[in-house]
Amino acid sequence: MDIVNMTALELGKAIKNGEISAVEATSAVLDSAEKANESINAYITICRDEALKNAEEIQKKITAGDLTSPLAGVPMAIKDNICTKNIKTTCASRILGDFAPIYNATVMNKLESAGVVTVGKLNMDEFAMGSTSETSYYGVTKNPWDLTKVPGGSSGGAAAAVAAKISSAALGSDTGGSIRQPASYCGVTGFKPTYGTVSRFGLIAYASSLDQIGPVAKDAADCAAIMDIISGKDNYDGTSLDLPKSNYLESLTGDVKGLKIGIPKECYNNKGLDSEVAEKTKAAAKVLEEQGAIVEEISLPFIDYVIPAYYIIATAEASSNLSRFDGVKYGFRADEYKDLTDMYNMTRSLGFGKEVKKRILLGTFVLSSGYYDAYYLKALKVKAIIKKSFDEIFSKYDLILCPTAPTTAPQIGKSLNDPMAMYLSDIFTVSVNIAGLPGISVPCGFDSNNMPVGVQLIGAALSDSKVLNAAYAYQQATAFHKEFPEVK
Ligand code: GLN
């Protein structure tokens, strides 16, 4: 059986039926990961021995009928900012180079209880700061569709691993688009849940009010199955919501009749928008319309303010969150220093990369007295306006449809030379985090260079099932998500 070509749900079913064992599935994925990782660099750590040992234990439980999750025995890979007990969790930073947590993130405990096998830890932008996966201390991840292009970021390793079929599915994190945008660049499906739906305990914080863990997978059904496992109230996360037991997978009906979808005109008037991306995402709206959805033009009046507001809020929170990395509590410490202050200075100067330092400086600046009101407070006011505008839209519409990113994947090296352009490329994703909404990126075609295009569906807070179902309906009618690159 062709293990690496199966979706996570297909693989889980074959394991349940005894056609494949969890060990066979895991070793097939490990073999392909070890082989392709040389060219793609999607993994920072591959844990062959632990994975095979776990798969064996899990198989015993499956055989005994003790594990009934639809994903029991399925191998998955995890973004390297999610804490995995005794497995290195580097955040793609030098400063956490040797950090092996003594505890699991809540999502990892949940995956383990469901019998999912962790095969490794995935590359990313350092501390999830970036849109290209080029700021990793462990080297650039390559886009499996074209190795000269970036996979997107910051969950670039997750999207590249799923696209290259070197992981059945993955967990990423999304602070301003880091699940959806790489999913779009790599032609896979990535879902960012409503804020508070998935516990952030054990997710190394970038910007706590925006961060959310979510699935990157071959299709929306796999995302729903993963959401059923990882979502739920967690007392270790004060922002985690107490919601009724989820059944995302069961609620996939594929029925979108009468669903009202708004298409923001500002997205399509954006000067940075590539014409092929515009065309393919509009065609995706047509497909949903043919399935019975009602599509109308809407307005997102706040769009020009989302990037400045996001980069103020995110860097402010980052500057505070990253103060804990001081050479005392975790990982790396500089070898040479004069005194305590110098130890902090040297450790942080050598331990953090350029992008991270830039953001700590910016965040410290916008929070400093004298500038706080002018920048941070103003950004919070913009946040309130964005939330209110979304509320108004969602009082009339079920979903918003727009491109995930203005272009397809850029060449490696291009974005870091023009950081402003890179920040602007987050324009369609960041407002979703600012308002805490669910959003998904779904493959909807290819540009003339055969690079994948993603379309984004956004819903009201807690309408995660609706978002997943519309993506599922779209994938029932199209086959873009079934295209995979030939990795050289
Ligand atoms: N590109 C955005 C940033 O650099 C989003 C990152 C993310 O979602 N983690 O902040």
Side-chain angles (χ1 to χ4, degrees), residues 79 81 125 127-132 153-155 173-181 206 211 310-311 314 355 359 422-423 425-426 429-430 433:
K79 188 175 181 180
N81 59 350
D125 283 296
F127 282 99
M129 296 174 187
S131 310
T132 62
S154 63
S155 311
S173 71
D174 192 311
T175 305
S178 279
I179 287 176
R180 292 159 286 153
Q181 183 256 34
Y206 162 13
D211 297 340
Y310 169 80
Y311 276 95
E355 185 67 28
R359 294 188 188 209
M422 181 177 88
Y423 297 160
S425 76
D426 294 332
T429 48
V430 294
N433 302 71

Side-chain angles (χ1 to χ4, degrees), residues 40-44 77-82 121-125 133 141-142 144 151-173 178-179 182-183 186 188-190 214-218:
I40 298 172
N41 199 29
Y43 283 86
I44 293 177
I78 310 296
K79 188 175 181 180
D80 213 17
N81 59 350
I82 296 174
K121 301 299 295 289
L122 297 165
N123 209 355
M124 52 184 278
D125 283 296
S133 298
T141 299
K142 315 273 173 63
S154 63
S155 311
V162 174
K165 297 189 279 197
I166 58 176
S167 177
S168 303
L171 285 191
S173 71
S178 279
I179 287 176
C186 290
V188 297
T189 305
V216 178
K218 290 194 175 103

Side-chain angles (χ1 to χ4, degrees), residues 233-248:
K233 169 80 180 156
D234 179 16
N235 290 331
Y236 288 134
D237 172 2
T239 58
S240 138
L241 299 171
D242 201 356
L243 302 169
K245 171 103 197 75
S246 73
N247 50 4
Y248 297 106

Side-chain angles (χ1 to χ4, degrees), residues 1 8 25 43 63 78 85 98 109 141-142 156 233 252 261 282 296 314 331 346 360 367 412 423 432 455 461 463:
M1 237 179 266
Y43 283 86
T63 312
I78 310 296
K85 189 173 173 180
D98 307 319
N109 285 335
T141 299
K142 315 273 173 63
K233 169 80 180 156
L252 299 180
I261 301 178
K282 279 186 180 161
E296 286 171 11
M346 291 307 288
I360 293 174
L367 288 177
I412 290 171
Y423 297 160
V432 169
V455 63
S463 72

